[in-house]
Amino acid sequence: MKPAAPQFSLALRLVHWLMAVMVIAMLFIGIGMVSTVSEMRTWLIDVHKPLGILILCLVAVRVCLRLLRPTTCRSGRRRRPMHRTSCSTP
Amino acid sequence: MNRITPAILLRLASIGLVLLTVTAGFAFAAGWLSADRLSPPDIIDSLQINAGLHPGFRRAHAKGLCIEGTFHANGNGTALSKAGVFAAGDVPVIGRFSTGGGQPYAPDGRLVFHAIALSLTQASGELWRMALDDTPIFVVATPQAFRDLQLATAPDPATGKPDPVRTADFLAHHPETRAFMDWMRDEPLPSSFANGTYYSINAFRFTDAAGETRHVRWSLVPETPFEALDKSKLASLPPDFLFEDVVQRLRRGPLRWHMIVTVAQPGDPVDDATKPWPADRRQVDVGTLAIDRAAAEENGACRNITFDPLILPSGISSSDDPLLPARSGAYAVSLTRRDGEPVNPSAASKNPGIRRGAP
């Protein structure tokens, strides 16, 4: 029997998928900007830098969300503080 | 184990398709699918083919000397740009004198092309980096032409000299390069780093506090009176004569240049560094650069600075000149490569007359 997956709040899930898109975009922007001497290089660096800072800010938001609203198990019980990464099977 | 049903195959195929699309997109972004995309490493590779590989040194302007000093702004520049560096007052400067080419020990008589590179740190902490040459025009207009020039004039392994046919072929397609070479041959060249005028090469944009943007070029005009280099005696001059000269001058006192900003008129070429602007353009003296110290790169502060012309404070920005992003990218690659290589002594540190620096 698989352990029940933790339930994440809507806000955490939104931030997670937003960051997923942004981090993957960063890979594309990063490899693109070092591959060309055209004006695209300048343009991509100008996107790369603020996007990286934004991702760092979202990490902070994510930590705060997680601390403010601990994830719950499907059973609805809050997990014990020292066992935050998985839910015990009922 | 599950049986492989058509439904599972379809799901696996969709996963594969997504992975393939993402990988193809990444390969496209990286330029792996575009054989003719010119990358910063391509530029540096062409310099290494032309000058040979000299580990630990800059790939261009390899022979140099660290300098330090102060830029004293007189306040006139604030009419053109809101950059803090133009507000009346002093900002510290770290810089580098260099000769052209990629050979760190070549005699100065062969590398009569002088350059000065500067990094100004304004009060806000923002940096203004620049690398200026002593020619008002550049040798090529595009990164592709720059790479082609390096390859066309690279020494032929058989003779040790550039292949005259390849060089002639390049010049036939690049009248701007021929014009540059004629200029180098016909114009009097400065006899010293101290009495040379240095030019920004590319155009940039200055934006003032009201938000108005103008295209500009700038130059550093020496207070030291001009003296011409005797081009007929180049071969007999000591190998480090330019560097020895400037260190001796700095031991006697600071050297000064006026920063003169030239404002373009509509229609002036702002994306082509091979085309000069008419001489009657508005010029503003924005302040004085005083260089008062010099040190071999081993002892100086300039060695690990990339004088990337696109490191600019707010109020100064790039123009559409295609050389600028290429310079920025190539300088970064040059730093990455030399940073990972063993350090070799610079020509200045090997010369007893220069090693101690100045004052």
Side-chain angles (χ1 to χ4, degrees), chain A residues 3-70:
Chain A
Q7 284 284 80
F8 296 99
S9 66
L10 178 66
L12 260 180
R13 278 179 284 153
L14 280 177
V15 172
H16 172 83
W17 286 109
L18 185 62
M19 285 184 67
V21 171
M22 289 165 76
V23 168
I24 291 169
M26 281 291 268
L27 292 175
F28 281 70
I29 295 167
I31 194 79
M33 75 188 191
V34 296
S35 76
T36 177
V37 296
S38 74
E39 66 284 352
M40 278 296 282
R41 174 190 159 83
T42 315
W43 190 84
L44 288 171
I45 289 175
D46 286 348
V47 176
H48 194 76
K49 284 199 232 176
L51 192 55
I53 299 292
L54 188 57
I55 289 173
L56 180 66
C57 295
L58 285 176
V59 169
V61 168
R62 203 166 163 158
V63 169
C64 294
L65 282 173
R66 182 68 191 254
L67 291 176
L68 283 173
R69 300 182 57 186

Side-chain angles (χ1 to χ4, degrees), chain B:
Chain B
M1 174 112 185
N2 290 330
R3 289 219 344 261
I4 296 177
T5 62
I8 287 176
L9 272 181
L10 189 67
R11 281 157 74 181
L12 286 173
S14 338
I15 292 168
L17 190 67
V18 169
L19 285 175
L20 199 68
T21 311
V22 171
T23 311
F26 192 77
F28 174 75
W32 298 334
L33 307 177
S34 349
D36 57 346
R37 186 185 301 182
L38 193 62
S39 72
D42 292 334
I43 302 282
I44 296 299
D45 288 345
S46 73
L47 286 164
Q48 288 179 189
I49 290 169
N50 188 290
L53 180 60
H54 303 283
F57 290 99
R58 288 170 201 263
R59 279 9 185 201
H61 294 269
K63 189 176 184 182
L65 180 75
C66 290
I67 50 176
E68 286 181 56
T70 308
F71 176 69
H72 173 76
N74 57 23
N76 293 342
T78 54
L80 298 172
S81 167
K82 64 184 177 186
V85 68
F86 294 121
D90 290 352
V91 298
V93 177
I94 296 171
R96 186 173 181 267
F97 282 128
S98 63
T99 46
Q103 298 188 10
Y105 304 117
D108 293 351
R110 279 188 54 202
L111 308 170
V112 288
F113 191 71
H114 310 6
I116 190 172
L118 303 173
S119 177
L120 282 64
T121 306
Q122 63 183 43
S124 67
E126 282 182 283
L127 298 174
W128 183 12
R129 298 256 171 96
M130 61 182 87
L132 301 89
D133 290 334
D134 70 346
T135 52
I137 48 172
F138 198 57
V139 64
V140 287
T142 65
Q144 183 68 53
F146 183 83
R147 181 169 190 270
D148 293 346
L149 173 65
Q150 300 308 319
L151 297 178
T153 57
D156 182 334
T159 62
K161 291 197 158 72
D163 178 348
V165 177
R166 285 185 77 187
T167 306
D169 183 55
F170 180 88
L171 291 176
H173 291 95
H174 292 275
E176 73 282 10
T177 305
R178 186 172 285 285
F180 174 88
M181 289 176 164
D182 291 348
W183 191 94
M184 286 290 282
R185 187 192 61 223
D186 299 338
E187 290 290 314
L189 300 178
S191 63
S192 163
F193 281 116
N195 59 25
T197 298
Y198 300 92
Y199 301 86
S200 64
I201 309 174
N202 311 103
F204 291 79
R205 290 184 177 96
F206 272 18
T207 305
D208 66 20
E212 191 179 340
T213 295
R214 304 168 181 86
H215 277 95
V216 301
R217 289 172 175 170
W218 61 87
S219 53
L220 295 173
V221 178
E223 286 190 354
T224 314
F226 181 83
E227 278 177 63
L229 189 68
D230 184 349
K231 293 183 199 173
S232 65
K233 295 207 176 105
L234 287 178
S236 62
L237 290 165
D240 303 323
F241 77 94
L242 283 173
F243 293 98
E244 286 169 358
D245 165 85
V246 79
V247 165
Q248 277 158 21
R249 286 175 190 257
L250 285 169
R251 284 176 188 159
R252 294 197 292 271
L255 296 168
R256 291 193 179 81
W257 287 260
H258 289 264
M259 185 184 283
I260 307 293
V261 177
T262 304
V263 183
Q265 290 282 327
D268 287 346
V270 293
D271 58 358
D272 187 341
T274 64
K275 295 201 173 80
W277 293 349
D280 63 350
R281 293 297 177 251
R282 178 185 167 204
Q283 294 195 315
V284 183
D285 183 339
V286 298
T288 311
L289 171 73
I291 297 296
D292 53 16
R293 278 159 288 163
E297 288 183 279
E298 285 81 348
N299 311 321
C302 74
R303 188 181 182 113
N304 293 329
I305 295 179
T306 49
F307 294 98
D308 175 344
L310 291 186
I311 297 179
L312 299 165
S314 175
I316 306 177
S317 53
S318 179
S319 67
D320 293 334
D321 188 328
L323 288 175
L324 282 169
R327 291 178 75 189
S328 179
Y331 293 10
V333 172
S334 171
L335 175 71
T336 309
R337 290 195 186 173
R338 64 193 157 89
D339 199 37
E341 293 166 346
V343 175
N344 288 297
S346 67
S349 79
K350 288 178 158 191
N351 183 321
I354 309 174
R355 190 187 300 141
R356 188 166 60 79

